[in-house]
Amino acid sequence: MQCDYYDAGRCRSCTLIETPYDAQLAAKHERARAAVGEGPAWDDPLASAESGFRNKAKMVAGGSVDEPRLGILGAGGSVQDLRDCPLHEPAVAAALPVLAEFMTAARLVPYDVTSRRGELKYVLVTASPAGELLVRFVLRSTESVPRIRKHLPWLTDRLPHLAVASVNLHPTHSAVLEGAEEIVLTERALLPMHVGDAEMYLRPQGFFQTSSQMAGALYTLAASWTAKLTYRTAWDLYCGVGGFALHLARPGVEVIGVESSHEAVAAATASAAGVGTGVRFEAGDATAFALGAAQEPDLVVVNPPRRGIGADLAGWLEGSGVRHVLYSSCNVDSLARDLTAMASLRPVRARVLDMFPHTEHFETLVLLER
């Protein structure tokens, strides 16, 4: 992939961009094999599109009202504009220049990290596979909300595929991306995300995989690997908006998804309504849920953050009678540590899915069998 920003030294986020993509993929595959071991049957790594694959943009607001910038925070607190980043899906790429214009139209003053003045901190954009958009404005206060509401018809006219718009209030000066309070500005609060074989929904504060293409492949692979397993009960821990749970659903099976984010659980519950009975979601800590459960399931799916599932949950799984575990990991180091703690669960199948081309990061799916 060729990138003008990288060539000009303005952005170096894609640390592997100078490495041929085939070599990137091979290196990730070998790293995963070294971490997990040679025991499982390894499928060939699943390649991504090299550009235009990111369904979301997390853009720092900078510049001024009349000359806005959307990009990344650079040295000295300045913002490097990255509106033409080649990683973004076409719908996201087309929206960013319009959103920069909207900053001027609605007189949204970019937040300056050095002086700690201004209102607009971030503009967050997510595109669905159908091309609809969810746009969030992260503000320091409600001062700009009336102007955003006033000019929202202008924005929806320029972006006819805008489905959900919201304001997130983030009053503190910190590196955290968003605050706790969300104000939905549109009639709709759910963005449909048809991925794999499921119609999922995303709320403004919900998490979704960075690449819709690879998310669909991940869920489809999970369904394929578990198709011949016998299970009557299944848990999807760290379930997000329910992608794995919805793909594990089958007649006569009870599937429970657990996620700490109430927003994600609300979206997942809306998705479950479309598949009938047998799938439900609840908000809570994955480890606490497992340790406090009265009965063990036949199958457990875990899709934790980079830190992994940790010693307590790994220890519970090791001592349980759970027959199969499907582990989706974005960090092979924590994956390897967790697998060591679950020695009685043997990896039988594994595959690398390149969710993040041109970086060291990738997803690894492993099926474990007792």
Side-chain angles (χ1 to χ4, degrees):
M1 182 186 75
Q2 191 276 330
C3 176
D4 292 340
Y5 296 120
Y6 184 91
D7 292 344
R10 297 174 183 172
C11 176
R12 292 300 172 112
S13 299
C14 293
T15 55
L16 300 181
I17 196 171
E18 296 185 63
T19 303
Y21 185 61
D22 288 348
Q24 293 182 36
L25 203 59
K28 292 178 180 184
H29 181 63
E30 289 308 312
R31 186 179 172 208
R33 289 172 69 103
V36 176
E38 298 295 331
W42 282 92
D43 294 352
D44 290 337
L46 189 60
S48 167
E50 294 185 44
S51 62
F53 60 85
R54 280 190 66 97
N55 59 22
K56 64 183 70 174
K58 300 178 180 180
M59 311 299 276
V60 180
S64 64
V65 168
D66 293 314
E67 295 184 2
R69 298 176 184 174
L70 290 173
I72 58 173
L73 197 62
S78 63
V79 173
Q80 170 59 55
D81 195 282
L82 296 180
R83 274 177 269 177
D84 295 322
C85 173
L87 298 182
H88 296 136
E89 285 188 2
V92 175
L96 292 176
V98 178
L99 290 166
E101 291 181 43
F102 183 74
M103 290 170 62
T104 301
R107 311 307 291 172
L108 303 180
V109 180
Y111 181 73
D112 182 81
V113 297
T114 303
S115 66
R116 302 192 181 187
R117 291 185 168 187
E119 285 294 317
L120 180 63
K121 293 184 172 183
Y122 301 95
V123 176
L124 312 178
V125 187
T126 302
S128 75
E132 289 191 305
L133 298 172
L134 185 159
V135 175
R136 304 171 65 205
F137 301 96
V138 181
L139 301 174
R140 192 172 65 161
S141 75
T142 59
E143 184 272 335
S144 302
V145 174
R147 295 196 304 279
I148 292 177
R149 290 188 185 275
K150 177 183 177 181
H151 289 85
L152 195 57
W154 178 94
L155 184 60
T156 54
D157 182 64
R158 295 290 304 275
L159 294 177
H161 297 300
L162 177 62
V164 183
S166 68
V167 163
N168 178 271
L169 296 180
H170 183 8
T172 60
H173 180 81
S174 68
V176 178
L177 184 67
E178 60 187 55
E181 184 178 354
E182 196 85 16
I183 304 171
V184 178
L185 305 175
T186 48
E187 291 185 8
R188 293 169 56 183
L190 293 170
L191 182 70
M193 303 287 288
H194 190 92
V195 174
D197 293 327
E199 183 77 59
M200 290 176 280
Y201 293 94
L202 179 65
R203 290 176 66 88
Q205 289 183 296
F207 168 79
F208 201 84
Q209 298 284 4
T210 299
S211 167
S212 297
Q213 172 206 1
M214 299 306 288
L218 181 65
Y219 300 143
T220 301
L221 197 61
S224 173
W225 285 5
T226 58
K228 294 183 179 181
L229 301 183
T230 301
Y231 61 92
R232 297 296 300 274
T233 54
W235 293 351
D236 179 6
L237 304 182
Y238 310 95
C239 70
V241 294
F244 284 109
L246 294 168
H247 283 80
L248 294 177
R250 61 172 70 165
V253 171
E254 180 189 33
V255 183
I256 302 174
V258 181
E259 167 61 46
S260 60
S261 167
H262 289 267
E263 287 284 305
V265 168
T269 300
S271 302
V275 300
T277 59
V279 183
R280 65 181 177 89
F281 298 91
E282 59 181 77
D285 178 77
T287 301
F289 174 84
L291 270 58
Q295 292 183 318
E296 300 171 351
D298 302 314
L299 169 66
V300 172
V301 179
V302 291
N303 184 25
R306 291 190 59 77
R307 65 178 181 272
I309 64 174
D312 290 343
L313 183 53
W316 181 88
L317 285 167
E318 171 64 15
S320 74
V322 174
R323 295 197 296 270
H324 292 94
V325 173
L326 192 64
Y327 196 135
S328 181
S329 169
C330 60
N331 181 357
V332 290
D333 295 327
S334 60
L335 170 63
R337 183 173 62 247
D338 291 337
L339 293 184
T340 299
M342 300 186 292
S344 66
L345 286 159
R346 181 173 59 93
V348 294
R349 196 162 186 182
R351 190 173 195 182
V352 165
L353 298 93
D354 195 14
M355 193 80 71
F356 313 99
H358 316 303
T359 74
E360 299 283 353
H361 305 296
F362 55 93
E363 198 80 12
T364 305
L365 188 66
V366 183
L367 179 63
L368 310 173
E369 183 177 83
R370 193 174 299 281

